[in-house]
Amino acid sequence: MSRSLRGTLLAIAFAVLGAGGARADESPAFYEAAAAMADGRYAMAASAFEALAARNPDDPFADDALIEAADLYEHRLGDPLRARQLYRRVVDAYPDSRVSRRARRRLEVLGRALGEGAEHAGALARYRSILTEYGEVGPIASIRTMEALLVEHPEFPLAAEARLWIGTTYQQEARLDEALGWFRAVQERHPGTEIAWRAGRAEGDVLLARGDFDAAEAVYRSLAEVEQPALATSIAMALEEVERVRQRARQARLAWIVVALFAAAMLVLARRDVGSWTGAGRALLRPPIEFWYLLPVAAIVAIAAHTDNQLVADAVTTIVAGALGVSWLSGATLEAARRRGPLGLGRIAAQAAAAGLAVLAICYLALMQDLLLDLLEHTRRFGHE
Amino acid sequence: MAHRFLAAALAAACFAACGDDGSGAEPDADIGDAMAGGRLLLEDCGYELVTRDGASAPRLGDPVLGGDPAPRQVRLGLAGDPATSMVVLWRTGNEDSVAPTLATEVRYGTAGNLDQTATGATYHYVAGFGGNGEHVRIHETHLCGLQPDTEYTFEVGGGDGAAEAWSATHTFRTAPLPGSADAEVVFAVVGDTRDGYDTWTAVATQIATHAPDLVLFTGDAVTIGQLQFEWESFFDSAAELMATTPVISAHGNHEINAINFYSLFAMPGDEENFGLRYGPAHIVVLNDSPVDSGALAGRSADLLDEEMTASADAPWKFVMHHRSMWSASNHGSDETLRGHWGPIIDRHQVDMVLSGHDHNYERSKPMLGDAVAETPDRGTVYVVSGSAGAGLYDNGTGFWTEVSEKRHGFVILRVRAGMLEMTAYASDGTQIDSLTLLASE
């Protein structure tokens, strides 16, 4: 079937029925309202849907029109009370209809958010509009609106969800300090709730992302006492993740130490061979002949690695750049030594071993970056992606 | 579980049990069973329940209660016509014992009554690697001959009258008939829960507020398909949703074609590649990480073509599989799959292709061949919905990308003959994206 995208459709199927289906009287009106909805003319669409149901309540499309109108009032038009009325009408007037199940479910959701009365309707309308218009409004403006909502409606039944939402959105924006603040606020203000548990989990995730392993582990352990087995499994897996990342960080530190020791060793050797620190520095700044041999090879490899997969491209570039740097330092040191006289086999072997070790350390750092190491492990276990 | 064969030739008595070799001998359900699979004719349904190598042969349930007979993980699946059938699956305790619960009954009815009873089948498989894991017993009852577009109440369990164990009551609704003019069906599209079962709980709770008729899972429920504890978390996390909404899952690469995957879900056909007509939608599900990769260009491609040809009258056509054919994230676009399936998708003007694999959300522009379609109504929209729990990947943008977002979440599809509404939500309810397609003549 051909079809048109939102905003571009002119020809609407007034009755797209399968074989044997009866043409419904209100089908054209329903799809006219649907076209208005697709174009973003929500108020007009809601009115048209309601009019259809009022005009012909026995039409097969009447219940569908009512629930479409209710959905628009709840999510697009900021009128949860009207939405609740219409959902109730669907349940009462069309209890066996297909959409009755959804109407009952939405009534439960609205009931939790509104309570029995209407005092939180305004807050709920704003809350819903923040969630619905997030894409157009943007994260920071949405956060400001949500913060204002919490100030103006401190008793809003969905305050815990709203606070968690702010924390998560800050986290999404990589503003981790603000995110942590909100996650902790949720746990303090709404202790013992499922939302507080989620905020704790999010706090642990942020701490882990920042490399604060002990704090992350402490938070996760505080969440482990939970009745739901699935949540307990998640925490157990999170604790495993802390240990894995902690081990990786240790290995990364070790790799950096190896690289730093190598550079320092080259400087000390050059100092010994040249006789002064200034001379050593000058000797190391002069690229050795092997550097010029390797440079085009490294450039070609780096360019060739720039495929669709940015992770691979970044890692290969880091490795060839690092290896080039090692060959520079090592080669420059050897050239300085050769000026003093012929080199012994032991010196050459030791220097080659040191350079090899430094290159391995750089490889590890490059692969660990952006979790490429995980991707390689993943490919080993689960096959080529 | 199951695979379904059209059973014109199967005319044996109701629930006749036959061994894998067709000898007619009733299989033994004890722990010591040969785990070579088997089949059981479900005459009311007109097809066979088939278990795979690694599971015992299915046998008819007996009114026997084991040490811990309380039903748990009650959930729904589909194996036959969704307008007239439903599969109910559940688990019981003491699965490793030599005397497990064998009672496999469903009491069900319309208008809140439980005036009908169906007896199902039970079988077990060994989780883990190399047959060294725990025994997992499945209770599976296929309800057939149901009324279309009707709400049913049900409970599961059984016993011998003196001692019985039953679950809480739940409800489901059968699909409308394909030609229904006004009926709307609601699908939740979600995938890649692995590692993140607490997030999956939040996502499933949000999904339930939309009262979907069917959950389309894009694969990678677990990290390693053979590890049963992950499956426990997967099902426990979404217990409420799955007790009222059938789930159809594409096989993800992390399922590793494990017996767990093929036993824990109830789906049509061979449970790898199959088609399903649900109201105005025809959905083809494909396994893009089969044991034999030659199947991608062979069996899978053939089935896709056949199903789409046979469903030419369906107002809306969907394909679901795991690895995305268009994605700007970590894994990128799978050009191998696109080479095998893209031309078929284009030829049949599939409306939407649903996948996961990359842990975020992405919607493509309407695509035709390797380019954006010149006229939108000729193209296919590719949706990546793989962010129901697993650690998120950075989202990217390619020339094909309409919207992409790095957030945990899910997609809701509301489908009726003349209109398809798609909304992507984050796990906290934030709306990420929406799209409305209207059918034109």
PDB file of all heavy atoms in Angstrom, chain A residues 3 17 31 60 76 96 98 102 131 165 172 234 378 381 385, chain B residues 149 173-174 182 184 198 224 254 351 357 377 379 406 418 430-431:
ATOM      1  N   ARG A   3       1.503   5.148   0.850  1.00  0.00           N
ATOM      2  CA  ARG A   3       1.050   5.955   1.975  1.00  0.00           C
ATOM      3  C   ARG A   3       1.822   7.251   2.010  1.00  0.00           C
ATOM      4  O   ARG A   3       2.857   7.404   1.392  1.00  0.00           O
ATOM      5  CB  ARG A   3       1.254   5.210   3.274  1.00  0.00           C
ATOM      6  CG  ARG A   3       2.651   4.677   3.312  1.00  0.00           C
ATOM      7  CD  ARG A   3       2.995   4.183   4.628  1.00  0.00           C
ATOM      8  NE  ARG A   3       4.304   3.643   4.673  1.00  0.00           N
ATOM      9  CZ  ARG A   3       5.401   4.221   4.216  1.00  0.00           C
ATOM     10  NH1 ARG A   3       5.350   5.384   3.640  1.00  0.00           N
ATOM     11  NH2 ARG A   3       6.556   3.653   4.351  1.00  0.00           N
ATOM     12  N   LEU A  17     -10.878  -0.807   3.859  1.00  0.00           N
ATOM     13  CA  LEU A  17     -11.429  -1.994   4.491  1.00  0.00           C
ATOM     14  C   LEU A  17     -10.917  -3.238   3.800  1.00  0.00           C
ATOM     15  O   LEU A  17     -10.628  -3.231   2.607  1.00  0.00           O
ATOM     16  CB  LEU A  17     -12.955  -1.972   4.388  1.00  0.00           C
ATOM     17  CG  LEU A  17     -13.620  -0.695   4.900  1.00  0.00           C
ATOM     18  CD1 LEU A  17     -15.107  -0.786   4.672  1.00  0.00           C
ATOM     19  CD2 LEU A  17     -13.308  -0.486   6.344  1.00  0.00           C
ATOM     20  N   TYR A  31     -11.380   9.722   9.648  1.00  0.00           N
ATOM     21  CA  TYR A  31     -10.065   9.930   9.024  1.00  0.00           C
ATOM     22  C   TYR A  31      -9.789  11.401   8.707  1.00  0.00           C
ATOM     23  O   TYR A  31      -8.640  11.812   8.612  1.00  0.00           O
ATOM     24  CB  TYR A  31      -9.898   9.028   7.806  1.00  0.00           C
ATOM     25  CG  TYR A  31      -9.609   7.602   8.233  1.00  0.00           C
ATOM     26  CD1 TYR A  31     -10.528   6.582   8.038  1.00  0.00           C
ATOM     27  CD2 TYR A  31      -8.417   7.300   8.894  1.00  0.00           C
ATOM     28  CE1 TYR A  31     -10.261   5.290   8.472  1.00  0.00           C
ATOM     29  CE2 TYR A  31      -8.136   6.015   9.331  1.00  0.00           C
ATOM     30  CZ  TYR A  31      -9.067   5.010   9.113  1.00  0.00           C
ATOM     31  OH  TYR A  31      -8.803   3.738   9.556  1.00  0.00           O
ATOM     32  N   PRO A  60     -19.450   2.204  14.423  1.00  0.00           N
ATOM     33  CA  PRO A  60     -18.263   1.434  14.867  1.00  0.00           C
ATOM     34  C   PRO A  60     -17.073   2.323  15.223  1.00  0.00           C
ATOM     35  O   PRO A  60     -16.207   1.916  15.991  1.00  0.00           O
ATOM     36  CB  PRO A  60     -17.946   0.554  13.658  1.00  0.00           C
ATOM     37  CG  PRO A  60     -19.208   0.465  12.884  1.00  0.00           C
ATOM     38  CD  PRO A  60     -19.955   1.738  13.125  1.00  0.00           C
ATOM     39  N   ARG A  76      -1.800  16.167  24.454  1.00  0.00           N
ATOM     40  CA  ARG A  76      -1.493  17.295  23.576  1.00  0.00           C
ATOM     41  C   ARG A  76      -2.184  18.593  23.992  1.00  0.00           C
ATOM     42  O   ARG A  76      -1.700  19.670  23.671  1.00  0.00           O
ATOM     43  CB  ARG A  76      -1.931  16.974  22.132  1.00  0.00           C
ATOM     44  CG  ARG A  76      -1.175  15.824  21.518  1.00  0.00           C
ATOM     45  CD  ARG A  76       0.233  16.250  21.183  1.00  0.00           C
ATOM     46  NE  ARG A  76       0.961  15.192  20.499  1.00  0.00           N
ATOM     47  CZ  ARG A  76       2.244  15.300  20.158  1.00  0.00           C
ATOM     48  NH1 ARG A  76       2.923  16.404  20.441  1.00  0.00           N
ATOM     49  NH2 ARG A  76       2.865  14.315  19.553  1.00  0.00           N
ATOM     50  N   ASP A  96     -17.304  -3.356  26.167  1.00  0.00           N
ATOM     51  CA  ASP A  96     -16.722  -4.515  25.488  1.00  0.00           C
ATOM     52  C   ASP A  96     -15.879  -4.137  24.281  1.00  0.00           C
ATOM     53  O   ASP A  96     -15.428  -5.019  23.547  1.00  0.00           O
ATOM     54  CB  ASP A  96     -17.842  -5.468  25.031  1.00  0.00           C
ATOM     55  CG  ASP A  96     -18.625  -5.995  26.225  1.00  0.00           C
ATOM     56  OD1 ASP A  96     -17.988  -6.203  27.283  1.00  0.00           O
ATOM     57  OD2 ASP A  96     -19.846  -6.166  26.104  1.00  0.00           O
ATOM     58  N   ARG A  98     -12.862  -2.723  21.873  1.00  0.00           N
ATOM     59  CA  ARG A  98     -11.427  -2.990  21.862  1.00  0.00           C
ATOM     60  C   ARG A  98     -10.653  -1.925  22.638  1.00  0.00           C
ATOM     61  O   ARG A  98      -9.660  -2.214  23.302  1.00  0.00           O
ATOM     62  CB  ARG A  98     -10.961  -3.042  20.400  1.00  0.00           C
ATOM     63  CG  ARG A  98      -9.533  -3.409  20.257  1.00  0.00           C
ATOM     64  CD  ARG A  98      -9.184  -4.073  18.957  1.00  0.00           C
ATOM     65  NE  ARG A  98      -7.923  -4.760  19.140  1.00  0.00           N
ATOM     66  CZ  ARG A  98      -7.808  -6.004  19.584  1.00  0.00           C
ATOM     67  NH1 ARG A  98      -8.878  -6.731  19.822  1.00  0.00           N
ATOM     68  NH2 ARG A  98      -6.617  -6.542  19.777  1.00  0.00           N
ATOM     69  N   ARG A 102      -7.717  -0.049  26.925  1.00  0.00           N
ATOM     70  CA  ARG A 102      -6.760   1.067  27.008  1.00  0.00           C
ATOM     71  C   ARG A 102      -7.339   2.190  27.862  1.00  0.00           C
ATOM     72  O   ARG A 102      -6.612   2.818  28.650  1.00  0.00           O
ATOM     73  CB  ARG A 102      -6.433   1.574  25.595  1.00  0.00           C
ATOM     74  CG  ARG A 102      -5.496   2.759  25.593  1.00  0.00           C
ATOM     75  CD  ARG A 102      -4.592   2.750  24.375  1.00  0.00           C
ATOM     76  NE  ARG A 102      -5.304   2.895  23.128  1.00  0.00           N
ATOM     77  CZ  ARG A 102      -5.466   4.048  22.476  1.00  0.00           C
ATOM     78  NH1 ARG A 102      -4.984   5.159  22.977  1.00  0.00           N
ATOM     79  NH2 ARG A 102      -6.092   4.082  21.329  1.00  0.00           N
ATOM     80  N   LEU A 131       6.943  16.429  29.068  1.00  0.00           N
ATOM     81  CA  LEU A 131       7.380  15.145  28.495  1.00  0.00           C
ATOM     82  C   LEU A 131       7.099  15.080  26.997  1.00  0.00           C
ATOM     83  O   LEU A 131       7.900  14.562  26.221  1.00  0.00           O
ATOM     84  CB  LEU A 131       6.685  13.979  29.200  1.00  0.00           C
ATOM     85  CG  LEU A 131       6.915  13.816  30.699  1.00  0.00           C
ATOM     86  CD1 LEU A 131       6.346  12.491  31.179  1.00  0.00           C
ATOM     87  CD2 LEU A 131       8.391  13.887  31.060  1.00  0.00           C
ATOM     88  N   TRP A 165      13.202  12.554  36.829  1.00  0.00           N
ATOM     89  CA  TRP A 165      13.287  12.979  35.421  1.00  0.00           C
ATOM     90  C   TRP A 165      14.329  14.087  35.261  1.00  0.00           C
ATOM     91  O   TRP A 165      15.136  14.059  34.321  1.00  0.00           O
ATOM     92  CB  TRP A 165      11.917  13.472  34.947  1.00  0.00           C
ATOM     93  CG  TRP A 165      11.889  13.815  33.484  1.00  0.00           C
ATOM     94  CD1 TRP A 165      11.579  12.998  32.451  1.00  0.00           C
ATOM     95  CD2 TRP A 165      12.215  15.090  32.900  1.00  0.00           C
ATOM     96  NE1 TRP A 165      11.686  13.670  31.257  1.00  0.00           N
ATOM     97  CE2 TRP A 165      12.071  14.957  31.506  1.00  0.00           C
ATOM     98  CE3 TRP A 165      12.598  16.320  33.416  1.00  0.00           C
ATOM     99  CZ2 TRP A 165      12.304  16.012  30.626  1.00  0.00           C
ATOM    100  CZ3 TRP A 165      12.846  17.376  32.528  1.00  0.00           C
ATOM    101  CH2 TRP A 165      12.690  17.211  31.158  1.00  0.00           C
ATOM    102  N   GLN A 172      21.767  12.895  31.094  1.00  0.00           N
ATOM    103  CA  GLN A 172      21.776  12.815  29.633  1.00  0.00           C
ATOM    104  C   GLN A 172      22.623  13.943  29.034  1.00  0.00           C
ATOM    105  O   GLN A 172      23.291  13.762  28.024  1.00  0.00           O
ATOM    106  CB  GLN A 172      20.320  12.930  29.156  1.00  0.00           C
ATOM    107  CG  GLN A 172      20.110  12.908  27.669  1.00  0.00           C
ATOM    108  CD  GLN A 172      19.992  11.491  27.151  1.00  0.00           C
ATOM    109  OE1 GLN A 172      19.980  10.554  27.932  1.00  0.00           O
ATOM    110  NE2 GLN A 172      19.920  11.346  25.859  1.00  0.00           N
ATOM    111  N   SER A 234      20.023  -7.256  38.782  1.00  0.00           N
ATOM    112  CA  SER A 234      20.623  -6.061  38.176  1.00  0.00           C
ATOM    113  C   SER A 234      21.733  -5.506  39.038  1.00  0.00           C
ATOM    114  O   SER A 234      22.781  -5.100  38.536  1.00  0.00           O
ATOM    115  CB  SER A 234      19.554  -4.978  37.980  1.00  0.00           C
ATOM    116  OG  SER A 234      18.792  -5.266  36.855  1.00  0.00           O
ATOM    117  N   HIS A 378      33.355  -9.072  22.860  1.00  0.00           N
ATOM    118  CA  HIS A 378      32.002  -9.390  22.401  1.00  0.00           C
ATOM    119  C   HIS A 378      32.060 -10.156  21.081  1.00  0.00           C
ATOM    120  O   HIS A 378      31.382 -11.168  20.888  1.00  0.00           O
ATOM    121  CB  HIS A 378      31.270  -8.059  22.235  1.00  0.00           C
ATOM    122  CG  HIS A 378      29.846  -8.171  21.850  1.00  0.00           C
ATOM    123  ND1 HIS A 378      29.464  -8.422  20.557  1.00  0.00           N
ATOM    124  CD2 HIS A 378      28.720  -8.061  22.568  1.00  0.00           C
ATOM    125  CE1 HIS A 378      28.142  -8.451  20.509  1.00  0.00           C
ATOM    126  NE2 HIS A 378      27.674  -8.240  21.714  1.00  0.00           N
ATOM    127  N   ARG A 381      33.205 -13.692  21.576  1.00  0.00           N
ATOM    128  CA  ARG A 381      32.214 -14.597  22.183  1.00  0.00           C
ATOM    129  C   ARG A 381      30.994 -14.814  21.312  1.00  0.00           C
ATOM    130  O   ARG A 381      30.434 -15.899  21.279  1.00  0.00           O
ATOM    131  CB  ARG A 381      31.760 -14.033  23.534  1.00  0.00           C
ATOM    132  CG  ARG A 381      32.860 -14.031  24.559  1.00  0.00           C
ATOM    133  CD  ARG A 381      32.419 -13.384  25.831  1.00  0.00           C
ATOM    134  NE  ARG A 381      31.534 -14.233  26.594  1.00  0.00           N
ATOM    135  CZ  ARG A 381      31.122 -13.937  27.828  1.00  0.00           C
ATOM    136  NH1 ARG A 381      31.530 -12.831  28.401  1.00  0.00           N
ATOM    137  NH2 ARG A 381      30.321 -14.736  28.465  1.00  0.00           N
ATOM    138  N   GLU A 385      30.124  -9.008  14.029  1.00  0.00           N
ATOM    139  CA  GLU A 385      28.915  -8.171  14.031  1.00  0.00           C
ATOM    140  C   GLU A 385      28.601  -7.702  12.620  1.00  0.00           C
ATOM    141  O   GLU A 385      28.475  -6.567  12.352  1.00  0.00           O
ATOM    142  CB  GLU A 385      29.133  -6.981  14.961  1.00  0.00           C
ATOM    143  CG  GLU A 385      29.274  -7.375  16.403  1.00  0.00           C
ATOM    144  CD  GLU A 385      27.950  -7.692  17.054  1.00  0.00           C
ATOM    145  OE1 GLU A 385      26.908  -7.377  16.456  1.00  0.00           O
ATOM    146  OE2 GLU A 385      27.949  -8.246  18.141  1.00  0.00           O
TER     147      GLU A 385
ATOM    148  N   ASP B 149     -11.554 -10.692  18.720  1.00  0.00           N
ATOM    149  CA  ASP B 149     -11.762  -9.369  19.325  1.00  0.00           C
ATOM    150  C   ASP B 149     -12.573  -9.449  20.623  1.00  0.00           C
ATOM    151  O   ASP B 149     -13.513  -8.697  20.833  1.00  0.00           O
ATOM    152  CB  ASP B 149     -12.474  -8.459  18.315  1.00  0.00           C
ATOM    153  CG  ASP B 149     -12.215  -6.994  18.629  1.00  0.00           C
ATOM    154  OD1 ASP B 149     -11.445  -6.701  19.564  1.00  0.00           O
ATOM    155  OD2 ASP B 149     -12.817  -6.138  17.947  1.00  0.00           O
ATOM    156  N   ARG B 173      -6.942 -10.114  25.340  1.00  0.00           N
ATOM    157  CA  ARG B 173      -7.942  -9.877  24.307  1.00  0.00           C
ATOM    158  C   ARG B 173      -7.431 -10.459  22.991  1.00  0.00           C
ATOM    159  O   ARG B 173      -6.266 -10.255  22.627  1.00  0.00           O
ATOM    160  CB  ARG B 173      -8.213  -8.384  24.136  1.00  0.00           C
ATOM    161  CG  ARG B 173      -9.435  -8.097  23.278  1.00  0.00           C
ATOM    162  CD  ARG B 173      -9.779  -6.629  23.244  1.00  0.00           C
ATOM    163  NE  ARG B 173     -10.998  -6.418  22.470  1.00  0.00           N
ATOM    164  CZ  ARG B 173     -12.214  -6.262  22.985  1.00  0.00           C
ATOM    165  NH1 ARG B 173     -12.376  -6.250  24.289  1.00  0.00           N
ATOM    166  NH2 ARG B 173     -13.271  -6.097  22.208  1.00  0.00           N
ATOM    167  N   THR B 174      -8.297 -11.173  22.309  1.00  0.00           N
ATOM    168  CA  THR B 174      -7.903 -11.744  21.016  1.00  0.00           C
ATOM    169  C   THR B 174      -7.848 -10.634  19.963  1.00  0.00           C
ATOM    170  O   THR B 174      -8.439  -9.565  20.128  1.00  0.00           O
ATOM    171  CB  THR B 174      -8.882 -12.828  20.566  1.00  0.00           C
ATOM    172  OG1 THR B 174     -10.211 -12.313  20.673  1.00  0.00           O
ATOM    173  CG2 THR B 174      -8.749 -14.077  21.431  1.00  0.00           C
ATOM    174  N   ASP B 182     -12.794  -0.785  11.743  1.00  0.00           N
ATOM    175  CA  ASP B 182     -12.472   0.257  12.711  1.00  0.00           C
ATOM    176  C   ASP B 182     -11.428  -0.173  13.739  1.00  0.00           C
ATOM    177  O   ASP B 182     -10.892   0.661  14.460  1.00  0.00           O
ATOM    178  CB  ASP B 182     -13.730   0.677  13.454  1.00  0.00           C
ATOM    179  CG  ASP B 182     -14.328  -0.477  14.222  1.00  0.00           C
ATOM    180  OD1 ASP B 182     -14.530  -1.535  13.611  1.00  0.00           O
ATOM    181  OD2 ASP B 182     -14.564  -0.339  15.434  1.00  0.00           O
ATOM    182  N   GLU B 184      -8.535  -0.941  16.100  1.00  0.00           N
ATOM    183  CA  GLU B 184      -7.160  -0.488  16.269  1.00  0.00           C
ATOM    184  C   GLU B 184      -6.406  -1.540  17.072  1.00  0.00           C
ATOM    185  O   GLU B 184      -6.926  -2.058  18.063  1.00  0.00           O
ATOM    186  CB  GLU B 184      -7.141   0.828  17.038  1.00  0.00           C
ATOM    187  CG  GLU B 184      -5.740   1.326  17.326  1.00  0.00           C
ATOM    188  CD  GLU B 184      -5.729   2.506  18.290  1.00  0.00           C
ATOM    189  OE1 GLU B 184      -5.890   2.280  19.510  1.00  0.00           O
ATOM    190  OE2 GLU B 184      -5.593   3.633  17.825  1.00  0.00           O
ATOM    191  N   ASP B 198      16.663  -3.886  35.643  1.00  0.00           N
ATOM    192  CA  ASP B 198      15.913  -2.880  36.400  1.00  0.00           C
ATOM    193  C   ASP B 198      15.338  -1.827  35.457  1.00  0.00           C
ATOM    194  O   ASP B 198      14.203  -1.377  35.635  1.00  0.00           O
ATOM    195  CB  ASP B 198      16.783  -2.243  37.489  1.00  0.00           C
ATOM    196  CG  ASP B 198      18.073  -1.666  36.951  1.00  0.00           C
ATOM    197  OD1 ASP B 198      18.571  -2.178  35.944  1.00  0.00           O
ATOM    198  OD2 ASP B 198      18.563  -0.685  37.534  1.00  0.00           O
ATOM    199  N   ILE B 224      23.686 -13.808  27.452  1.00  0.00           N
ATOM    200  CA  ILE B 224      24.102 -15.124  26.971  1.00  0.00           C
ATOM    201  C   ILE B 224      22.884 -16.043  27.052  1.00  0.00           C
ATOM    202  O   ILE B 224      22.382 -16.329  28.142  1.00  0.00           O
ATOM    203  CB  ILE B 224      25.269 -15.683  27.805  1.00  0.00           C
ATOM    204  CG1 ILE B 224      26.488 -14.744  27.660  1.00  0.00           C
ATOM    205  CG2 ILE B 224      25.628 -17.099  27.369  1.00  0.00           C
ATOM    206  CD1 ILE B 224      27.674 -15.113  28.505  1.00  0.00           C
ATOM    207  N   HIS B 254      22.640 -12.391  20.819  1.00  0.00           N
ATOM    208  CA  HIS B 254      22.990 -12.824  22.175  1.00  0.00           C
ATOM    209  C   HIS B 254      22.159 -14.024  22.642  1.00  0.00           C
ATOM    210  O   HIS B 254      22.488 -14.627  23.659  1.00  0.00           O
ATOM    211  CB  HIS B 254      22.836 -11.664  23.157  1.00  0.00           C
ATOM    212  CG  HIS B 254      24.004 -10.745  23.119  1.00  0.00           C
ATOM    213  ND1 HIS B 254      25.054 -10.839  23.996  1.00  0.00           N
ATOM    214  CD2 HIS B 254      24.320  -9.734  22.277  1.00  0.00           C
ATOM    215  CE1 HIS B 254      25.950  -9.915  23.714  1.00  0.00           C
ATOM    216  NE2 HIS B 254      25.519  -9.222  22.667  1.00  0.00           N
ATOM    217  N   ASP B 351       6.018  -1.246   4.998  1.00  0.00           N
ATOM    218  CA  ASP B 351       5.875   0.083   5.599  1.00  0.00           C
ATOM    219  C   ASP B 351       6.969   0.378   6.620  1.00  0.00           C
ATOM    220  O   ASP B 351       7.488   1.489   6.665  1.00  0.00           O
ATOM    221  CB  ASP B 351       4.501   0.192   6.268  1.00  0.00           C
ATOM    222  CG  ASP B 351       3.395   0.091   5.245  1.00  0.00           C
ATOM    223  OD1 ASP B 351       3.200   1.073   4.515  1.00  0.00           O
ATOM    224  OD2 ASP B 351       2.756  -0.972   5.146  1.00  0.00           O
ATOM    225  N   HIS B 357      19.612  -4.137  18.352  1.00  0.00           N
ATOM    226  CA  HIS B 357      21.059  -4.353  18.205  1.00  0.00           C
ATOM    227  C   HIS B 357      21.866  -3.130  18.635  1.00  0.00           C
ATOM    228  O   HIS B 357      22.795  -3.257  19.418  1.00  0.00           O
ATOM    229  CB  HIS B 357      21.383  -4.757  16.774  1.00  0.00           C
ATOM    230  CG  HIS B 357      22.690  -5.482  16.626  1.00  0.00           C
ATOM    231  ND1 HIS B 357      23.150  -6.405  17.539  1.00  0.00           N
ATOM    232  CD2 HIS B 357      23.642  -5.425  15.644  1.00  0.00           C
ATOM    233  CE1 HIS B 357      24.320  -6.881  17.126  1.00  0.00           C
ATOM    234  NE2 HIS B 357      24.640  -6.296  15.996  1.00  0.00           N
ATOM    235  N   ASP B 377       6.032   8.241   0.027  1.00  0.00           N
ATOM    236  CA  ASP B 377       5.090   7.126   0.106  1.00  0.00           C
ATOM    237  C   ASP B 377       5.613   5.877  -0.607  1.00  0.00           C
ATOM    238  O   ASP B 377       4.956   4.856  -0.610  1.00  0.00           O
ATOM    239  CB  ASP B 377       3.711   7.533  -0.417  1.00  0.00           C
ATOM    240  CG  ASP B 377       3.746   7.936  -1.872  1.00  0.00           C
ATOM    241  OD1 ASP B 377       4.850   8.206  -2.380  1.00  0.00           O
ATOM    242  OD2 ASP B 377       2.675   7.975  -2.491  1.00  0.00           O
ATOM    243  N   GLY B 379       8.781   4.716   0.128  1.00  0.00           N
ATOM    244  CA  GLY B 379       9.891   4.193   0.911  1.00  0.00           C
ATOM    245  C   GLY B 379       9.461   3.396   2.123  1.00  0.00           C
ATOM    246  O   GLY B 379       8.283   3.317   2.473  1.00  0.00           O
ATOM    247  N   LYS B 406      19.732   8.890  22.257  1.00  0.00           N
ATOM    248  CA  LYS B 406      20.400   7.950  23.155  1.00  0.00           C
ATOM    249  C   LYS B 406      19.645   7.926  24.481  1.00  0.00           C
ATOM    250  O   LYS B 406      19.980   8.684  25.401  1.00  0.00           O
ATOM    251  CB  LYS B 406      21.856   8.387  23.362  1.00  0.00           C
ATOM    252  CG  LYS B 406      22.682   7.483  24.246  1.00  0.00           C
ATOM    253  CD  LYS B 406      24.059   8.070  24.486  1.00  0.00           C
ATOM    254  CE  LYS B 406      24.867   7.207  25.436  1.00  0.00           C
ATOM    255  NZ  LYS B 406      26.189   7.801  25.695  1.00  0.00           N
ATOM    256  N   GLY B 418      -6.678   2.466   8.296  1.00  0.00           N
ATOM    257  CA  GLY B 418      -6.364   3.689   7.576  1.00  0.00           C
ATOM    258  C   GLY B 418      -5.266   4.532   8.178  1.00  0.00           C
ATOM    259  O   GLY B 418      -4.944   5.601   7.640  1.00  0.00           O
ATOM    260  N   THR B 430       9.028  10.300  28.656  1.00  0.00           N
ATOM    261  CA  THR B 430       9.318  11.423  27.757  1.00  0.00           C
ATOM    262  C   THR B 430       9.108  10.986  26.312  1.00  0.00           C
ATOM    263  O   THR B 430       9.560   9.915  25.914  1.00  0.00           O
ATOM    264  CB  THR B 430      10.784  11.884  27.916  1.00  0.00           C
ATOM    265  OG1 THR B 430      11.021  12.153  29.286  1.00  0.00           O
ATOM    266  CG2 THR B 430      11.064  13.130  27.094  1.00  0.00           C
ATOM    267  N   GLN B 431       8.422  11.848  25.558  1.00  0.00           N
ATOM    268  CA  GLN B 431       8.189  11.509  24.161  1.00  0.00           C
ATOM    269  C   GLN B 431       9.412  11.893  23.337  1.00  0.00           C
ATOM    270  O   GLN B 431       9.841  13.043  23.351  1.00  0.00           O
ATOM    271  CB  GLN B 431       6.944  12.227  23.655  1.00  0.00           C
ATOM    272  CG  GLN B 431       6.547  11.788  22.262  1.00  0.00           C
ATOM    273  CD  GLN B 431       5.210  12.362  21.846  1.00  0.00           C
ATOM    274  OE1 GLN B 431       4.232  12.243  22.569  1.00  0.00           O
ATOM    275  NE2 GLN B 431       5.177  13.008  20.699  1.00  0.00           N
TER     276      GLN B 431
END
